[in-house]
Every structure is written in C-alpha cells, then in structure tokens.
Amino acid sequence: MTTTSKTRPPLNGVDTPTLFATLDAVKANPELAKFQFRAANRWVSGTHNRSTIRAFFGAGQEDTSRTEDFSYDADHPAVLVGTGHGPTPVEFLLHAIAACLTAGVANVAAARGVALREVSSTVEGDIDLLGILGLSDQVRNGYQGIRVSFQISGDAPPEVLRGLIDQSRARSAVYDVLTNGVPVSVEVSTD
Amino acid sequence: MTTTSKTRPPLNGVDTPTLFATLDAVKANPELAKFQFRAANRWVSGTHNRSTIRAFFGAGQEDTSRTEDFSYDADHPAVLVGTGHGPTPVEFLLHAIAACLTAGVANVAAARGVALREVSSTVEGDIDLLGILGLSDQVRNGYQGIRVSFQISGDAPPEVLRGLIDQSRARSAVYDVLTNGVPVSVEVSTD
C-alpha cells in the first residue's frame, strides 16, 4: 500500500499531517509566512556577553508558545584574551548551519516516508585572524570556508538518504544566509 | 598624563596589555592566526537537535582551555510543527551577530581607553517562509534583512562611543560572514 504525500502518517517525530496542513494554510494565506525573529544581548565584562531569545512574530501574531527565555553566553577563549564563559560568536554559526540542515532532513524524510535512524554531523570553519586583528588587509574577517559532514542512516537506499540532505540544503534558511549573505544594518543610540 | 595604546591598563574586563602582547606575537608569527572552530550536531527527534562545541585549533595547537562541552538545543516552534525545545537555527544567527559586535566593542574600547558602562542590543531578522516552505520561487530561503540596534554608554562623548561600534563592525567576523557570505560545503556519508 502506498500513500500520497498528503496522507503520510507522523514519522521521525514529525507530525506530518499537521506539516502538510500548515503548508496548505500558508498557501491559502501567504501573509502567514511573514516571520520576525529576535534576540537581545547584554555586555557582561570583557568579551563575555549574553543573549536571550524568546518572542517572535509569525503566522499573523506574536507567538506565545515559548514561556521562558533561552539564554546563551558568548566569549572569547583565553588564547584570544577572553574568559571562555561561552563559545565564540563564530562558533554559533556552525551550530546554526548544522541545526538548520538537520531539522530540514527530518521534515523532508517524514514528507517522503523515510524512517530515519540517525543523523549526525560535524562542522568545521577555517578562519585566519589576521583579518579581525587588523594585521592584514588581504585576509577577510570571517570564515574562509565552512565544511559540514553528515552521517545519515535510515530505511532507504544511500541515494535516497543523500537526497534528503540535498533537499534540506536547497530549502535551508541558514545555508542561504551563510552562502549568499544578507543586508545587516547597525544602529547606535548613546545616553 | 596620556598613555600610548601600547601601555594602556586593563579596562572593561579586558586585559589590555595581554591583548596588545597577543597582537605583537601574531605579527611576529602570522601562522598563529590560523584557527579552526568546530561543532558537532546530533538529531534528537523531529526538528529537535543538539550541538556540542568545545575543541578548536588555534595559535599553533589544539586548545585545551575549555574543559567541558557547551551544548545547545535547536528546534522549530509549535507554529512551525516543532516542539520548541530550543530556538530556531536562524535565531542563533541573531545571537552570533550581537555577541560578535559586543565583544569587539569591549576590546576596542579598552584599546582606546574608553570605560564602558553598558552595552546592550536588540536584533531583528525578517524572513518570509514562502521560500523555505517551497511555496514561492521569488522569495529567498533566508532572512531578507537583519537590524541590530545598540544602546551604549560610557565615559566618552557620543561620537566616540559610536566610533567603537563602527570599528567593531569593521573587524567583525560574524558581520563579514553574514553580509558577504562564505563558501559552505556539505558532504554526506551513509551507512
């Protein structure tokens, strides 16, 4: 017995029927797709600072499903004259790309009826600090390249499993931002 | 009595003398500037997954200063058919840009002899999910724009305080990556 994508049951912890219903709802009312995410950050001391994340706007309203702040410290390590109270800011970019691709794989697999057993990944980012240290004009400030390596297993042939990663990448918000860039404005208010 | 930048005392929680000594050491041996940061991610269920961050290479060796893993959950919220066990991957990008600019401000202020009282920021990212939902080819997958709003106070005139943010942005690794993009490769291994 085969199912069409619209009638697939929940799989991989994904509520597939609700996922398809959500797609239909947005198709009928594209305004629902407009989201705004937010973070707030406060300097602690030296390179140590802390962000909180909670509220966002989406699906036509302020979201209230997250009832507590998520809180994240960032810092530079000792070798960069920080105190190591958290990862460096650039390491959070590596988390973001792995997390985005992995969430997408789970959704795509559920939509395609592929049961996943394991999805794990490692991410490496190479950066030459001559840029941010102001010691070379020839070296960019950011990563020179990021490599994501996935290990995936599930009830499908290798080419189908690879196709899940391909489709997730093709629809990944973080992959798009990191590879194509995005306009970032910075405003300053002083007391 | 004025000090040259090389003899500035610690300020803002920044060990300024060590910061300048580090710059001198890297200038003398540019190989020390080559860093590799890393993250590892594992799928949990549905869109919920978890990254760990700890080891990195830099200053010519594997760093051992961070003796425990930093661990971060990511998930989609209920309205996007997730379980909200963590922020969305794209929200970590907002944390990363705020954290990077803020760490830079503290260092630049110390180098310039400006005592900071408070540095806080809010970040907003607008995204139209018609892209990642596959409902429009005209809409990008990622953010359409990111806005960072800083509030800064310290023992300096407003134009000097603004200059700290400007210099931090000019040397920010995350700002460079987000605005200019970076090559991201994705490899897949199947069982």
Side-chain angles (χ1 to χ4, degrees):
Chain A
M1 184 179 120
T2 60
T3 57
T4 70
S5 64
K6 292 279 188 176
T7 59
R8 290 205 190 279
L11 187 63
N12 303 323
V14 176
D15 181 352
T16 324
T18 300
L19 186 60
F20 283 115
T22 300
L23 282 169
D24 286 342
V26 176
K27 204 178 297 183
N29 182 4
E31 282 296 307
L32 296 176
K34 294 187 177 169
F35 276 59
Q36 180 185 86
F37 291 110
R38 306 169 192 137
N41 182 279
R42 182 169 289 273
W43 174 58
V44 178
S45 179
T47 52
H48 180 202
N49 58 80
R50 184 173 296 134
S51 292
T52 54
I53 296 173
R54 179 173 172 180
F56 66 88
F57 177 90
Q61 60 189 340
E62 283 291 312
D63 187 82
T64 57
S65 68
R66 306 195 303 197
T67 54
E68 293 185 5
D69 286 351
F70 298 112
S71 180
Y72 303 102
D73 286 32
D75 200 350
H76 291 183
V79 69
L80 296 174
V81 203
T83 48
H85 282 94
T88 59
V90 285
E91 289 172 285
F92 283 101
L93 300 180
L94 307 183
H95 164 49
I97 185 63
C100 194
L101 292 171
T102 301
V105 164
N107 277 341
V108 172
R112 294 182 178 182
V114 175
L116 296 172
R117 277 192 296 273
E118 183 188 325
V119 185
S120 61
S121 58
T122 58
V123 192
E124 298 173 338
D126 294 320
I127 187 167
D128 186 334
L129 301 188
L130 292 180
I132 65 173
L133 295 176
L135 297 176
S136 171
D137 290 340
Q138 311 300 313
V139 177
R140 70 178 294 177
N141 293 324
Y143 285 123
Q144 293 168 319
I146 293 174
R147 291 176 301 285
V148 188
S149 302
F150 271 96
Q151 178 76 30
I152 180 170
S153 64
D155 293 333
E159 64 271 22
V160 172
L161 295 173
R162 289 173 185 279
L164 303 177
I165 306 272
D166 288 345
Q167 179 60 20
S168 177
R169 177 174 53 178
R171 289 297 177 197
S172 166
V174 173
Y175 182 84
D176 173 25
V177 168
L178 292 188
T179 57
N180 295 315
V182 61
V184 178
S185 70
V186 180
E187 295 169 9
V188 184
S189 166
T190 61
D191 280 351
Chain B
M1 185 178 117
T2 60
T3 56
T4 70
S5 64
K6 292 277 185 175
T7 58
R8 289 202 190 281
L11 187 63
N12 303 323
V14 175
D15 182 351
T16 324
T18 300
L19 186 61
F20 282 115
T22 300
L23 282 169
D24 286 342
V26 176
K27 204 179 297 184
N29 182 3
E31 282 296 306
L32 296 176
K34 293 187 176 167
F35 275 60
Q36 181 184 85
F37 291 108
R38 307 169 190 138
N41 183 279
R42 181 169 291 272
W43 175 57
V44 178
S45 179
T47 52
H48 179 202
N49 58 81
R50 184 173 297 134
S51 292
T52 55
I53 296 172
R54 179 173 170 179
F56 66 89
F57 178 90
Q61 60 189 340
E62 284 290 313
D63 187 83
T64 56
S65 68
R66 305 196 303 197
T67 55
E68 294 186 3
D69 287 351
F70 298 112
S71 179
Y72 303 103
D73 286 31
D75 200 350
H76 290 181
V79 69
L80 296 174
V81 202
T83 48
H85 283 94
T88 59
V90 286
E91 288 171 287
F92 283 100
L93 300 179
L94 307 183
H95 164 49
I97 183 65
C100 194
L101 292 172
T102 300
V105 164
N107 277 341
V108 172
R112 295 184 178 181
V114 176
L116 296 172
R117 276 192 297 274
E118 183 188 326
V119 185
S120 61
S121 58
T122 58
V123 192
E124 299 174 337
D126 293 319
I127 187 167
D128 185 333
L129 301 188
L130 292 179
I132 65 174
L133 294 175
L135 297 176
S136 171
D137 291 339
Q138 311 302 312
V139 176
R140 70 177 295 176
N141 293 325
Y143 285 123
Q144 295 170 316
I146 293 174
R147 288 177 302 285
V148 188
S149 301
F150 271 96
Q151 178 78 31
I152 181 169
S153 63
D155 292 334
E159 63 271 22
V160 172
L161 296 173
R162 289 173 184 278
L164 303 176
I165 306 272
D166 288 345
Q167 179 61 19
S168 178
R169 177 174 55 179
R171 288 296 176 198
S172 166
V174 173
Y175 183 84
D176 174 25
V177 167
L178 292 188
T179 57
N180 295 316
V182 62
V184 179
S185 69
V186 181
E187 295 169 10
V188 185
S189 166
T190 61
D191 279 349

